[in-house]
């Protein structure tokens, strides 16, 4: 709302009022330079400029048409009439206008700054002067700073005030970009849409204004089988991802399953205290070998998917290869290259659609709606929908496999299953008194197999129904020529019947889950099964177990179709890229790798970063509540603290002589309340020879039990005592009685390099422990501290130690974790930060002091590590470069690969990275996980690492610089 009056209506009304009530108009003139008029301000203005008037004039103004709103203590002039009053004031004597200005300034000298700046803008916009431009610019700049600087409720109040008053400024002031920035920034802060811009400024102006009030916000991201769950604040168990935003955080979400160019990203808005579920539908075409071909990802949950087995591939018009029925009833069509072709709008009546079918050539679409068969041509675009009524309750609709464009369907009428087709008589009836959930095949010339609502499979023939399976059938399919029928039971077993021998069903495969869908290959030699995860089980119809294979997809597959040369798999989820408003990018994917841990290895310890906390920080700070300390620790991203050191009490001492045992329950409960595991660091002492006698062992068992009874999640054993394999096994057995408890071994005597080559020694290290320390800390210190010769520490020490440690873990129990200590020799903060970055780049359980994890740089790396499976769970491969001062590690988990680079030199170093080493084929895109920047590289690329710096680069397929629509 501006104070301008293009039509002159306000001017005419004001002039008319000035004829009949001149004192009223003159009093209003004396108020038009104020943002708001208090009762005292009004009284003083009347006495100053109209001293002979009475108090009745004030009351008349209070209820006059010149006022927009009036309360008990203040009135606000109508903005249009206020503009007309200022123009009238400007046409009068200059001395009078300046007197009104001086009076307003003096009366509002103690008013809030934003009000004074607004009144200054009213004057500067209505009474131009030589320095008017500067005055307007400076006042707007001060106002912009005021509404963008703070992050508390007072700043929000300033934003509300600005949105109310700023549109009342003269048009000449509103033309300044800062005037628009103030409105946009205030709206962003309050979570509102900005008002319409009357001057059509470039989008960059508004974008820059929103950036002024953005702050760092943590968003929780959890990859689920159905898509992505985004939470604010981060929900327990989710990955904490930093994003920029104001009241509302905006993210662009794009599926990475598709090859570039990808479908345009979806904008997601996350207000405070909100959880957003973003379902993603995925379809991928697999060659017989399992190599992915076409991939399509689009937002929303597809209720059903239909695939053309032999789509037309002519350039124009393009037939449809994929049809997806979305939750709202819309049908989305994609061609054989994955490009969106068209959509069939949802029914206006709100009717439910089901049983989606696509002809073999992809030119005709059919579905069931209102118990009628609907079909339409989809080339070049969806045409007129033809509706055919059926007899009884429709069960399903299909197209002939040979390429016909006329669908056939099955319906249930008075307990009899009948077939029908457009222009053809109803086919033979088959008894089906228990309801029908699936029929195969839908052909008039062959008797069908029927899956009833109770999960029983029947075969219909002229002599009557024959029961093939009595219960628990989850899916049924077959080959289109009718020679094979396949079905899956709830226990995952897949059976096949051959035409002419329906009495015998052969077990052809055993799936690890309840099968949700089956498909027989185009050559009728294999059957594929899916069950809601990333595996596709392909079995030989002959029943040969050696021919069974498992193909992998990077999403949750629940539908499978056969096509010549392979399979088409449909489902939900898949890897996605999140892009924040400030350009940073994060990649999130679901963990599809099989779990190779031993059954007794707690899942939470895998890849967990351990934060060492001195007991004095928790026990000797009585002024600070345990919850506050733990909230501070959890804010760094820490998920497990190792607290100590503690010494086991004497045997039989039940009075809490164990230092720290008393009073530990509130601390442990505070840790658990903030999602942090609590591990006790125990120091074991032996005799002069380091031996631990029976009494000391019993004391240790007793101390561990008492800690576990108080809620501790595990223990770490260290000290100079000779902790043997038998002692560790006994402790491990004790921990098993407490569920998810972990046992860690902190070596007091470093192993020798030669000992790693003996598998028996490796077993003794990790046979009973979940986490063991394998490397001496001085090895990493020598790699970082100058002036050690690069050719000594790179290949002769550090990389060699890493390889030996990997061999030791490979020989130990599955799931054993590798703890990495921070070198005590490092005292310089820059060297300690670099060592922490190196340890966070390695697999297993890096162990770092909590005060180092509180540093912003290390805390940011910890959050990134939590967000990427390759960094927390991936394998390790050392990378050698032409610059030996740069340590390189390649971390890979499933489809995700991260290249970690650490520069031990004081100066920046550029290293040459061969692309074929990263991907094995073509160009790649490297996404810097630390700053969100991405760049594409061919053949070989040069990467610069800052002095004593680290870079984590996610390896991804190349993508355009701006995500957009295909083509």
């Amino acid at each position: 709302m501006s104070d301008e009056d293009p039509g002159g209506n306000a001017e005419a009304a004001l002039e008319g009022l000035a004829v009949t009530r001149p004192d009223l108009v003159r009093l209003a003139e004396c108020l038009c330079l104020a943002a708001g008029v208090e009762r005292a301000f009004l009284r003083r203005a009347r006495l100053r400029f109209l001293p002979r008037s009475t108090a009745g004039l004030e009351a008349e103004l209070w209820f006059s048409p010149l006022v927009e709103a009036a309360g008990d203590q203040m009135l606000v002039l109508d903005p249009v009439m206020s503009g007309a009053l200022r123009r009238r004031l400007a046409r009068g004597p200059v001395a009078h206008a300046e007197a009104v200005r001086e009076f307003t300034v003096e009366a509002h000298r103690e008013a809030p700054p934003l009000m004074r700046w607004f009144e200054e803008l009213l004057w500067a916009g209505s009474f131009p002067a030589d320095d008017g431009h500067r005055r307007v610019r400076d006042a707007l700049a001060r106002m912009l700073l005021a509404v963008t600087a703070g992050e508390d409720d007072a700043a929000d109040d300033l934003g509300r005030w600005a949105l109310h008053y700023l549109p009342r400024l003269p048009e000449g002031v509103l033309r300044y970009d800062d005037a628009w920035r103030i409105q946009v920034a205030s709206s962003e802060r309050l979570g509102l849409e900005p008002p319409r811009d009357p001057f059509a400024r470039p989008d960059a102006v508004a974008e820059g204004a929103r950036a002024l009030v953005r702050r760092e916000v943590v968003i929780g991201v959890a990859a689920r089988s159905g898509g992505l769950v985004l939470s604010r604040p981060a929900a327990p168990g989710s990955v904490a991802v930093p994003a920029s935003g104001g009241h509302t955080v905006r993210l662009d979400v794009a599926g990475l399953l598709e090859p570039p160019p990808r479908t345009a990203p979806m904008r997601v808005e996350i207000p405070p205290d909100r959880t957003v579920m973003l379902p993603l539908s995925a379809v991928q075409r697999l060659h017989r070998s399992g190599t992915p071909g076409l991939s399509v990802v689009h937002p929303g949950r597809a209720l059903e998917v239909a695939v053309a087995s032999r789509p037309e591939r002519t350039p124009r018009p393009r037939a449809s290869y994929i049809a997806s029925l979305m939750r709202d009833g819309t049908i989305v069509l994609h061609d054989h290259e994955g490009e969106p072709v068209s959509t069939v709008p949802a029914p206006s009546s709100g009717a439910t659609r089901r049983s989606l079918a696509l002809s073999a050539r992809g030119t005709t679409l059919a579905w069931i709606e209102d118990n009628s068969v609907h079909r339409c041509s989809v080339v070049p675009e969806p045409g007129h929908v033809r509706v055919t009524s059926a007899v009884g309750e429709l069960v399903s609709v299909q197209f002939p496999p040979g390429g016909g464009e006329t669908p056939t369907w099955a319906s249930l009428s008075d307990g009899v299953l009948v077939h029908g087709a457009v222009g053809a008589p109803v086919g033979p009836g088959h008894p089906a008194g228990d309801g029908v959930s699936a029929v195969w095949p839908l052909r008039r010339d062959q008797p069908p197999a029927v899956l009833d609502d109770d999960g029983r499979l029947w075969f219909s023939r002229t002599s009557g129904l024959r029961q093939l399976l009595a219960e628990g059938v989850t899916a049924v399919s077959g080959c289109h020529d009718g020679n094979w029928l396949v079905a899956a039971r709830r226990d995952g077993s897949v059976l096949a019947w051959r035409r002419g021998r329906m009495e015998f069903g052969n077990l052809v495969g055993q799936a690890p889950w309840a099968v949700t869908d089956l498909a027989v290959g185009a050559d009728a030699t294999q059957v594929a099964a899916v069950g809601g995860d990333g595996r596709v089980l392909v079995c030989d119809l002959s029943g040969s177990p050696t021919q069974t294979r498992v193909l992998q997809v990077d999403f949750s597959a629940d539908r499978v179709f056969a096509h010549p040369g392979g399979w088409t798999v449909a489902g939900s989820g898949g890897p996605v890229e999140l892009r924040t408003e400030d350009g940073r990018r994060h990649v999130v994917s679901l963990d599809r790798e099989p779990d190779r841990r031993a059954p007794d290895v707690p899942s939470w310890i895998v890849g967990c970063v351990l934060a060492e906390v001195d007991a004095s920080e928790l026990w000797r700070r009585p002024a600070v509540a345990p919850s506050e300390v733990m909230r501070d620790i959890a804010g760094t991203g820490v998920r497990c603290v190792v607290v100590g050191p503690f010494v086991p009490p004497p045997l039989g001492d039940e009075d809490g002589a164990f230092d720290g045992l008393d009073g530990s329950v509130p601390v442990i409960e505070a840790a658990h309340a903030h999602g942090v595991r609590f591990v006790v660091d125990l120091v074991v002492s032996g005799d002069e020879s380091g031996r631990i006698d029976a009494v000391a062992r019993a004391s240790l068992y007793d101390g561990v039990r008492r800690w576990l009874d108080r809620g501790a999640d595990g223990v770490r054993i260290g000290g100079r005592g000779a902790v043997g394999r038998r002692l560790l096994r006994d402790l491990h057995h004790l921990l098993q009685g407490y569920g998810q408890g972990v046992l860690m071994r902190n070596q007091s005597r470093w192993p020798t390099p030669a000992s790693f080559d003996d598998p028996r020694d490796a077993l003794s290290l990790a046979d009973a422990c979940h986490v063991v320390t394998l490397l001496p800390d001085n090895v990493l210190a020598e790699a970082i501290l100058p002036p050690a010769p690069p050719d000594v520490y790179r290949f002769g020490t550090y990389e060699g130690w890493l390889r030996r440690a990997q061999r030791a873990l490979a020989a130990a129990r599955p799931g054993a974790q590798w703890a990495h200590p921070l070198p005590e020799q490092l005292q310089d903060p820059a060297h300690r930060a670099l060592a922490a970055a190196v340890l966070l780049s390695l697999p297993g359980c890096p162990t770092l002091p909590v005060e180092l994890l509180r540093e912003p740089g290390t805390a940011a790396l910890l959050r990134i590590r939590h967000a990427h499976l390759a960094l927390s769970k991936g394998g390790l491969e050392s990378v050698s470069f032409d610059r030996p001062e740069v340590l390189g590690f390649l971390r890979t988990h499933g489809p995700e690969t991260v290249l970690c680079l650490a520069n031990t030199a004081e100066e920046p170093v550029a290293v040459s990275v061969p692309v074929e080493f990263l991907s094995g084929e073509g160009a790649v895109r490297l996404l810097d996980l630390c700053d969100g920047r991405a760049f594409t590289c061919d053949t070989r690329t040069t990467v610069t690492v800052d002095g004593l710096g680290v870079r984590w680069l996610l390896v991804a397929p190349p993508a355009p610089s701006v995500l957009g629509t295909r083509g």
Side-chain angles (χ1 to χ4, degrees):
M1 174 176 19
S2 173
D3 67 356
E4 300 300 324
D5 181 31
N9 295 331
E11 298 280 358
L14 191 62
E15 291 301 325
L17 189 61
V19 173
T20 59
R21 298 295 298 140
D23 287 349
L24 180 66
V25 173
R26 183 170 178 82
L27 178 59
E29 278 184 13
C30 301
L31 308 175
C32 67
L33 296 181
V37 180
E38 304 88 350
R39 284 190 178 274
F41 184 91
L42 176 59
R43 174 66 53 86
R44 291 172 58 189
R46 182 182 65 79
L47 295 176
R48 167 78 181 274
F49 298 105
L50 290 93
R52 297 185 178 182
S53 61
T54 65
L57 184 61
E58 298 175 23
E60 185 179 358
L61 176 66
W62 205 271
F63 299 103
S64 74
L66 300 176
V67 174
E68 178 188 42
D72 292 338
Q73 300 300 324
M74 178 181 287
L75 65 83
V76 178
L77 293 176
D78 180 84
V80 177
M81 298 303 293
S82 180
L85 287 167
R86 287 194 298 274
R87 290 190 290 274
R88 179 182 177 87
L89 181 65
R91 292 193 297 266
V94 175
H96 175 63
E98 290 178 346
V100 172
R101 163 65 176 164
E102 292 173 1
F103 169 79
T104 304
V105 171
E106 179 63 29
H108 284 167
R109 187 173 300 279
E110 302 300 326
L114 207 64
M115 178 179 288
R116 299 199 306 269
W117 297 335
F118 174 76
E119 292 172 349
E120 184 177 343
L121 288 169
L122 285 178
W123 172 259
S126 302
F127 301 87
D130 294 340
D131 61 345
H133 170 69
R134 178 186 59 79
R135 290 163 55 197
V136 171
R137 183 194 61 201
D138 293 346
L140 287 173
R142 288 193 298 268
M143 191 179 295
L144 179 62
L145 180 62
V147 299
T148 58
E151 295 185 5
D152 53 8
D153 293 340
D156 291 347
D157 291 339
L158 288 177
R160 294 186 185 93
W161 195 96
L163 286 176
H164 179 73
Y165 282 101
L166 208 69
R168 302 166 181 268
L169 290 170
E171 181 178 343
V173 177
L174 292 178
R175 287 187 178 275
Y176 283 74
D177 285 349
D178 272 356
W180 176 238
R181 292 188 180 100
I182 292 170
Q183 297 178 75
V184 173
S186 300
S187 300
E188 179 74 8
R189 177 185 292 283
L190 299 170
L192 305 173
E193 286 297 321
R196 184 185 64 84
D197 180 14
F199 303 109
R201 275 171 272 247
D203 293 340
V205 178
E207 178 62 25
R210 281 194 291 267
L212 293 174
V213 294
R214 291 182 192 141
R215 60 187 183 277
E216 194 78 354
V217 179
V218 175
I219 300 296
V221 182
R224 298 288 184 254
S225 60
L228 211 61
V229 179
L230 305 172
S231 54
R232 180 182 173 194
S238 63
V239 173
V241 172
S244 61
H247 181 277
T248 300
V249 176
R250 299 178 181 88
L251 298 174
D252 288 331
V253 182
L256 291 181
L257 195 65
E258 296 178 284
R262 301 185 177 96
T263 304
M266 179 180 181
R267 171 59 62 92
V268 180
E269 297 187 351
I270 313 171
D273 302 319
R274 189 71 58 86
T275 297
V276 177
M277 173 65 185
L278 179 64
L280 298 171
S281 297
V283 180
Q284 191 169 65
R285 186 175 180 130
L286 301 177
H287 299 294
R288 184 181 292 271
S289 63
T291 304
L294 161 76
S295 297
V296 173
V297 178
H298 54 94
R301 183 72 171 96
L303 299 179
E304 294 186 26
V305 174
V307 174
S309 58
R310 297 178 178 82
E312 291 185 350
R313 302 193 176 210
T314 54
R316 298 287 179 180
R318 294 176 294 181
S320 297
Y321 172 54
I322 303 167
S324 301
L325 175 61
M326 309 308 294
R327 190 179 298 274
D328 65 351
T330 302
I331 301 174
V332 182
L333 303 169
H334 292 80
D335 67 7
H336 69 279
E337 294 180 350
E339 295 190 34
V341 177
S342 57
T343 61
V344 178
S348 57
S349 62
T352 301
R353 291 173 172 173
R354 58 185 176 89
S355 190
L356 190 67
L358 194 59
S359 64
R361 293 190 301 159
T363 55
T364 306
L365 186 69
W367 65 91
I368 295 175
E369 180 182 330
D370 283 334
N371 202 43
S372 300
V373 177
H374 289 58
R375 62 189 177 102
C376 67
S377 173
V378 294
V379 177
E381 59 184 17
H384 175 68
V385 177
R386 289 159 288 181
V387 180
T388 303
S389 299
V391 177
E393 179 186 354
L394 283 169
V395 176
S396 60
V397 59
Q398 288 184 4
F399 283 94
E405 302 299 313
T406 301
T408 60
W409 58 85
S411 60
L412 192 62
S413 178
D414 296 329
V416 176
L417 183 71
V418 297
H419 283 145
V422 176
V426 173
H430 304 278
D434 295 313
V436 176
S437 60
V439 181
W440 187 270
L442 288 180
R443 296 181 59 179
R444 292 168 48 80
D445 57 344
Q446 290 187 15
V450 177
L451 178 61
D452 66 23
D453 291 339
D454 295 324
R456 297 174 296 186
L457 184 64
W458 304 83
F459 178 64
S460 180
R461 52 188 179 180
T462 55
S463 59
L465 290 176
R466 169 181 170 78
Q467 188 177 84
L468 299 181
L469 293 175
E471 62 178 356
V473 180
T474 59
V476 61
S477 185
C479 57
H480 288 290
D481 60 9
N483 287 331
W484 284 99
L485 174 72
V486 293
R489 292 187 295 199
R490 189 175 293 111
D491 61 1
S493 57
V494 181
L495 294 91
W497 292 264
R498 192 172 181 85
R499 185 177 181 181
R501 302 181 60 186
M502 299 302 292
E503 294 81 4
F504 305 98
N506 296 325
L507 179 67
V508 296
Q510 180 66 49
W513 18 245
V515 175
T516 58
D517 197 22
L518 295 165
V520 175
D523 57 0
T525 61
Q526 294 178 319
V527 57
V530 292
D533 68 3
R535 293 170 288 182
V536 181
L537 185 71
V538 180
C539 308
D540 191 84
L541 279 176
S542 66
S544 172
T546 60
Q547 300 297 321
T548 300
R549 296 183 301 140
V550 177
L551 309 181
Q552 291 284 344
V553 294
D554 199 28
F555 59 94
S556 296
D558 52 26
R559 295 293 305 276
V560 62
F561 308 87
H563 62 76
W567 315 94
T568 299
V569 186
S572 56
V576 297
E577 181 180 76
L578 307 177
R579 186 168 63 183
T580 62
E581 286 191 284
D582 58 358
R584 288 179 295 176
R585 295 175 177 175
H586 307 277
V587 174
V588 181
S589 57
L590 191 63
D591 188 1
R592 294 296 178 196
E593 288 294 293
D595 191 353
R596 297 183 176 89
R597 295 179 294 111
D600 63 337
V601 177
S603 59
W604 66 266
I605 195 61
V606 177
C608 183
V609 177
L610 309 177
E612 291 183 321
V613 181
D614 192 280
S616 62
E617 183 166 351
L618 299 177
W619 266 263
R620 299 172 190 171
R621 297 175 61 186
V624 182
S627 60
E628 296 181 21
V629 178
M630 281 302 170
R631 182 171 60 248
D632 172 58
I633 293 175
T636 64
V638 168
R639 296 179 180 175
C640 178
V641 290
V642 181
V643 182
F646 298 113
V647 178
L651 181 64
D653 185 357
E654 296 292 342
D655 298 328
F658 199 142
D659 183 25
L661 194 59
D662 283 352
S664 61
V665 172
V667 180
I668 296 175
E669 289 178 348
H672 291 166
H674 290 89
V676 177
R677 300 279 182 170
F678 190 98
V679 174
V680 183
D681 188 14
L682 300 182
V683 177
V684 180
S685 299
D687 57 20
E688 295 180 355
S689 303
R691 291 174 298 184
I692 302 176
D693 58 21
V695 174
R697 283 199 299 271
S699 177
L700 178 62
Y701 299 148
D702 185 62
V704 170
R705 176 189 59 80
R706 292 162 68 183
W707 274 108
L708 296 175
D709 286 341
R710 284 159 173 78
D713 297 287
V715 293
R716 185 175 73 173
I717 305 297
R720 64 182 181 85
V723 180
R725 188 174 179 183
R726 177 181 175 184
L727 176 60
L728 292 175
R729 281 186 168 180
D730 289 342
L731 288 173
H732 180 266
H733 180 72
L734 175 63
L735 282 160
Q736 282 184 310
Y738 288 85
Q740 293 287 300
V742 298
L743 177 61
M744 304 180 185
R745 176 70 172 107
N746 191 17
Q747 292 288 95
S748 60
R749 176 177 55 85
W750 303 115
T752 63
S755 69
F756 282 122
D757 298 326
D758 187 353
R760 291 174 300 177
D761 193 61
L763 288 172
S764 68
L765 288 171
D767 181 44
C769 297
H770 302 111
V771 181
V772 294
T773 302
L774 293 180
L775 292 185
D777 59 356
N778 64 296
V779 177
L780 179 57
E782 292 175 0
I784 292 178
L785 287 174
D791 59 339
V792 174
Y793 70 72
R794 275 288 286 118
F795 299 101
T797 305
Y798 195 64
E799 186 170 331
W801 275 97
L802 291 177
R803 291 174 178 171
R804 295 185 186 101
Q806 285 182 280
R807 289 199 298 269
L809 281 179
R813 66 204 304 270
Q817 297 292 291
W818 170 12
H820 312 281
L822 184 75
E824 295 181 358
Q825 299 90 333
L826 299 179
Q827 300 299 323
D828 182 83
H831 290 153
R832 288 170 61 82
L834 177 60
V838 171
L839 296 184
L840 291 174
S841 302
L842 297 175
C845 298
T847 306
L848 299 171
V850 71
E851 60 269 15
L852 183 56
L853 287 167
R854 287 192 177 106
E855 296 294 328
T858 308
L861 293 179
L862 178 59
R863 287 192 293 267
I864 295 173
R865 178 184 168 95
H866 287 331
H868 292 275
L869 297 171
L871 292 169
S872 59
K873 294 185 178 181
L876 173 67
E877 183 176 354
S878 298
V879 184
S880 300
F881 299 108
D882 50 352
R883 299 296 299 269
E885 55 266 56
V886 175
L887 303 175
F889 313 107
L890 200 65
R891 305 292 310 281
T892 301
H893 184 83
E896 188 176 89
T897 299
V898 177
L899 174 64
C900 304
L901 304 174
N903 181 15
T904 62
E906 299 280 349
E907 302 296 329
V909 173
V911 294
S912 180
V913 181
V915 173
E916 63 271 13
F917 178 77
L918 300 177
S919 68
E921 55 180 26
V924 298
R925 183 171 60 114
L926 297 179
L927 172 62
D928 194 317
L929 298 178
C930 298
D931 60 19
R933 293 179 298 176
F935 56 95
T936 303
C937 51
D938 303 314
T939 311
R940 183 175 288 271
T941 186
T942 299
V943 178
T944 301
V945 188
D946 293 336
L948 299 180
V950 62
R951 294 190 74 174
W952 287 353
L953 303 173
L954 178 71
V955 181
S961 57
V962 178
L963 296 176
T965 56
R966 292 176 173 271

